[in-house]
RNA sequence: GGGGCUGUGGGGUAACUUGGCUAUCCUUGUAGCUUCGGGAGCUAUAGAUUCCGGUUCAAAUCCGGGCAGCCCCA
């Protein structure tokens, strides 16, 4: 299956063949996490936990069900979500007096409790996060990891004494994001969403977008500054040094299982998945090359190599299935294992192990005595190369345009005066989604692509996945 | 919200128009033997007509409904 020719079909086929997910669960958009896919997700979660714990966030876990009365407190928020929430209207045989909804995100579950937790300025900043499943009734076509109705979701929620401290949190989130994305080898753009596209209830929203091979953008997450938009309706107040009651300023940061979809889409090739070593369930697979008379010897060597690498902390699989080596090669290539080691009589005679890199296809040998050091080097090199390749790929997929005559099949960058009218007209005429303007200001000088007004602001747009 | 289409072993399918014999083929699973440096061969074996109801001597096939999925339009 060719990735470039038909990305959509390629994607569906690869997640199926690599056994990342089981789509046969009989509810649309609710798929089963297979052991292999779930291991990848858990590795991603572990990087998220590591970075948020390191910056003083505490992991919490709030209930799945939210009373309708809490959900309705913030007006924009409910307007943004009410067409896509699942409702629980009955318990046993009895209709509920107050309907309950399955969280589409947890603001309205957490903030009534935050109001109880926060009493004084000494309680701030309150920095929490949780990794839970959320539910959104998607009406568009669903797609494994990318558009699902039950979403494996990360969300941080913080409360601060004032807008400046909340802004500091937003900046910290960008630093965290950079650290989390490095091992996933995913490049991204930070684009401040337009006012009409920001998160329901937010003061502003920064979208985290990456690119897919067919010129589409894929949103990987978002970082929001809420100001007092939620603390007022949820009455989250603290007493400051002067004894005055003040509303907290809040931020959130959300990401989801889409990160798995992005890894598939960004790194995969015609042979299947290509997993970054840091998230791969198995970083190395050993394929013993058996032959009559040397079965014991090769098997023994393979086990020794396995133990040695496992002791060094590497995740390793010894494939001792009774099938031909070639068949194993194809299997593990589809599954994206970063490095394959082969051990046969030839290798044993020469005191080496043969390796093959999944990302580049490069093959070679390493000395048996040097094994751990060399293998570690190769894995690091694979990670570096994947990062570099993906970065270049994102840079190449952005094109600055001066008019709408011929639109490239890419993420486009263009002058925008910032007015809502021009923004809407751009979207209507191009059928692209206006993703927003760079969070970190880029130097730009040009004309608004719609009204022609002089502007120093570049906007980005793309077909959104 | 409106309209159209589909449902056959784990996956992909044939038979459906015009009802009829043991439901086809590929793949996968299991067991054994021979194999093993890029998808092995042979043998044996397992596995399906979405659910409920109707028509009929007879239903995968025709009719009604449920459930699930896909597509198009708004």
């Amino acid at each position: 299956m060719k990735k470039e020719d038909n990305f959509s079909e390629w994607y569906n086929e690869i997640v199926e063949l690599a056994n990342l997910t089981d789509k046969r669960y009989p509810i649309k958009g609710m798929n089963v996490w297979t052991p292999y896919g779930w291991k990848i997700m858990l590795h991603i979660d572990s990087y998220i936990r590591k970075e948020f714990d390191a910056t003083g966030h505490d992991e919490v876990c709030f209930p799945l069900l939210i009373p309708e009365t809490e959900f309705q407190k913030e007006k924009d928020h409910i307007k943004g979500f009410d067409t896509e929430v699942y409702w629980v209207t009955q318990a046993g045989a009895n209709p509920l007096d107050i309907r309950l909804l399955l969280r589409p995100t947890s603001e309205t579950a957490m903030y009534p409790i935050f109001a109880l937790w926060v009493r004084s300025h000494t309680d701030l900043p309150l920095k929490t996060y949780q990794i839970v499943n959320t539910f959104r009734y998607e009406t568009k076509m669903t797609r494994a990891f990318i558009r699902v109705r039950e979403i494996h979701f990360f969300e941080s929620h913080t409360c601060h004494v004032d807008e400046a401290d909340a802004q500091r949190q937003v900046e910290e989130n960008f630093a965290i994001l950079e650290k989390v994305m490095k091992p996933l080898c995913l490049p991204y753009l930070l684009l401040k969403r337009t006012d009409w596209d920001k998160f329901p209830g937010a003061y502003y929203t920064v979208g985290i977008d990456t690119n897919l091979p067919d010129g589409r953008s894929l949103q990987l997450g978002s970082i929001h500054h809420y100001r007092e938009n939620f603390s007022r309706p949820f009455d989250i107040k603290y007493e400051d040094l002067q004894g005055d009651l003040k509303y907290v300023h809040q931020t959130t940061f959300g990401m989801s299982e889409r990160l798995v979809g992005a890894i598939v889409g960004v790194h995969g090739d015609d042979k299947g998945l290509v997993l970054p070593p840091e998230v791969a369930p198995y970083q190395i697979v050993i394929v013993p090359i058996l032959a009559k008379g040397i079965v014991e010897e090769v098997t023994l060597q393979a086990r020794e190599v396995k133990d040695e690498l496992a002791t060094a902390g590497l995740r390793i699989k010894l494939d001792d299935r009774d099938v031909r080596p070639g068949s194993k090669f194809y299997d593990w290539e589809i599954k994206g294992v970063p490095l394959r080691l082969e051990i046969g009589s030839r290798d044993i005679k020469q005191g080496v192990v043969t390796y093959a890199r999944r990302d580049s296809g490069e093959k070679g040998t390493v000395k048996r005595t040097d094994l751990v050091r060399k293998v570690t080097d190769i894995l690091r090199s694979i990670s570096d190369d994947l990062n570099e390749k993906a970065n270049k790929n994102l840079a190449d997929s952005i094109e600055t345009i001066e008019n709408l005559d011929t639109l490239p099949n890419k993420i486009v960058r263009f002058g925008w005066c910032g007015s809502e009218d021009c923004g809407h007209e751009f979207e209507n005429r191009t059928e692209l989604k206006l993703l927003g303007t760079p969070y970190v200001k880029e130097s730009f000088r040009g004309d608004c692509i719609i009204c022609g007004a002089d502007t120093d602001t570049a906007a980005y747009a793309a077909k959104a996945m």
Side-chain angles (χ1 to χ4, degrees):
Chain A
M1 175 62 72
K2 289 270 187 279
K3 183 184 181 187
E4 299 298 331
D5 294 353
N6 189 338
F7 175 73
S8 186
E9 270 180 38
W10 172 89
Y11 181 90
N12 288 340
E13 191 172 311
I14 291 305
V15 296
E16 181 101 37
L17 286 173
N19 200 221
L20 290 185
T21 183
D22 198 324
K23 292 185 281 197
R24 290 170 298 183
Y25 194 78
I27 299 178
K28 179 186 172 76
M30 297 195 185
N31 302 327
V32 176
W33 286 95
T34 59
Y36 197 70
W38 187 240
K39 282 187 177 78
I40 296 173
M41 190 69 247
L42 289 181
H43 280 124
I44 295 173
D45 288 344
S46 77
Y47 289 105
I48 294 173
R49 283 201 169 88
K50 183 180 155 210
E51 299 305 332
F52 277 89
D53 290 348
T55 45
H57 292 75
D58 290 311
E59 184 165 3
V60 293
C61 190
F62 276 74
L64 166 64
L65 294 176
I66 301 172
E68 183 173 17
T69 43
E70 298 299 331
F71 181 63
Q72 284 175 337
K73 281 184 179 168
E74 211 291 326
K75 290 201 172 48
D76 288 333
H77 188 69
I78 182 173
K79 235 186 286 167
F81 280 106
D82 68 351
T83 59
E84 55 181 77
V85 294
Y86 284 92
W87 289 102
V88 176
T89 59
Q90 188 164 328
N94 306 315
L96 294 172
D97 290 340
I98 296 173
R99 299 192 297 166
L100 305 172
L101 62 115
L102 271 53
R103 58 177 166 230
T105 171
S106 300
E107 280 75 2
T108 57
M110 298 171 108
Y111 297 172
I113 303 303
F114 281 10
L116 303 174
W117 287 357
V118 174
R119 316 294 311 165
S120 127
H121 65 94
T122 58
D123 296 323
L124 298 173
L126 177 69
K127 298 165 76 167
T128 66
Y129 72 92
Q130 62 179 11
I131 299 178
V132 294
N133 47 357
T134 58
F135 294 81
R136 296 180 190 177
Y137 182 76
E138 288 287 351
T139 53
K140 286 190 193 153
M141 214 222 301
T142 57
R143 182 185 294 281
F145 308 119
I146 289 178
R147 181 172 286 119
V148 288
R149 289 176 170 180
E150 178 171 355
I151 310 162
H152 181 80
F153 193 62
F154 157 85
E155 51 185 326
S156 77
H157 294 258
T158 65
C159 300
H160 305 269
V161 290
D162 55 19
E163 181 172 345
D165 198 57
Q167 182 57 34
R168 269 192 288 280
Q169 183 59 50
V170 169
E171 303 291 338
E172 181 179 85
N173 287 349
F174 293 138
I176 291 170
L177 175 66
E178 192 175 336
K179 287 188 177 166
V180 169
M181 296 299 245
K182 183 92 194 300
L184 315 193
C185 304
L186 292 175
Y188 54 88
L189 301 170
L190 292 178
L191 298 173
K192 190 169 175 184
R193 293 288 188 252
T194 60
D195 262 353
W196 64 90
D197 190 37
K198 65 188 182 187
F199 181 81
Y203 163 48
Y204 70 80
T205 290
V206 179
I208 304 160
D209 298 294
T210 193
N211 69 302
L212 292 176
D214 58 355
R216 286 172 194 268
S217 67
L218 180 68
Q219 178 168 348
L220 299 179
S222 42
I223 291 170
H224 314 285
H225 193 314
Y226 289 165
R227 266 190 178 166
E228 300 174 351
N229 292 354
F230 283 89
S231 62
R232 284 180 182 274
F234 285 94
D235 203 32
I236 311 175
K237 286 183 298 211
Y238 70 97
E239 196 175 324
D240 72 5
L241 279 169
Q242 282 72 43
D244 297 330
L245 281 179
K246 288 188 172 162
Y247 289 106
V248 299
H249 285 248
Q250 293 178 279
T251 79
T252 60
F253 181 175
M255 291 188 286
S256 76
E257 61 181 276
R258 270 198 180 182
L259 291 168
V260 174
I263 287 171
V264 173
V266 168
H267 302 303
D269 63 21
D270 293 351
K271 292 179 179 171
L273 292 185
V274 177
L275 293 176
E278 285 85 346
V279 300
Y282 306 117
Q283 299 167 306
I284 302 162
V285 60
I286 302 174
V287 178
I289 311 296
L290 304 171
K292 211 171 191 170
I294 58 156
V295 173
E296 282 81 8
E297 195 186 356
V298 171
T299 305
L300 188 69
Q301 277 288 323
R303 289 206 181 119
E304 276 181 28
V305 167
K306 179 192 168 185
D307 290 345
E308 206 175 313
L309 293 169
T311 305
L314 296 163
R315 297 190 291 272
I316 185 154
K317 173 84 178 175
L318 171 57
D319 188 352
D320 53 6
R321 290 177 299 161
D322 184 20
V323 293
R324 310 269 292 221
S327 178
K328 296 179 183 177
F329 296 168
Y330 282 98
D331 285 353
W332 295 109
E333 278 167 4
I334 290 169
K335 285 177 135 21
V337 175
L339 186 63
R340 179 178 79 231
L341 299 179
E342 301 169 26
I343 300 172
S345 60
R346 234 158 48 199
D347 304 290
I348 292 174
K349 246 177 250 154
Q350 296 168 14
V352 299
V353 174
T354 299
Y355 72 85
R357 281 175 60 152
R358 175 63 182 87
D359 63 325
S360 60
E362 177 197 313
K363 287 179 90 161
T365 57
V366 296
K367 285 212 190 77
R368 181 70 177 74
T369 50
D370 240 4
L371 188 68
V372 170
R373 196 172 59 82
K374 284 282 189 192
V375 159
T376 309
D377 284 350
I378 294 172
L379 288 174
R380 188 177 308 122
S381 162
I382 290 172
S383 184
D384 290 346
D385 291 356
L386 285 178
N387 255 313
E388 192 180 323
K389 193 174 156 198
N391 272 313
K392 183 174 183 306
N393 189 266
L394 175 59
D396 289 348
S397 72
I398 299 169
E399 188 172 322
T400 301
I401 57 169
E402 315 244 304
N403 57 61
L404 302 179
D405 297 344
T406 50
L407 288 171
N409 212 17
K410 291 184 173 185
I411 298 173
V412 295
R413 177 174 176 268
F414 54 92
W416 178 41
C417 67
S419 82
E420 186 162 346
D421 284 349
C422 287
H424 284 312
E425 186 168 345
F426 176 89
E427 289 191 318
N428 289 335
R429 277 169 59 180
T430 60
E431 293 187 322
L432 300 179
K433 180 180 159 58
L434 184 49
L435 298 171
T437 55
Y439 181 78
V440 180
K441 190 109 176 97
E442 293 175 358
S443 76
F444 183 84
R445 196 82 244 170
D447 301 332
C448 174
I449 202 160
I450 299 296
C451 70
D454 187 47
T455 179
D456 64 352
T457 301
Y460 286 72
K463 265 182 288 180
M465 191 71 186

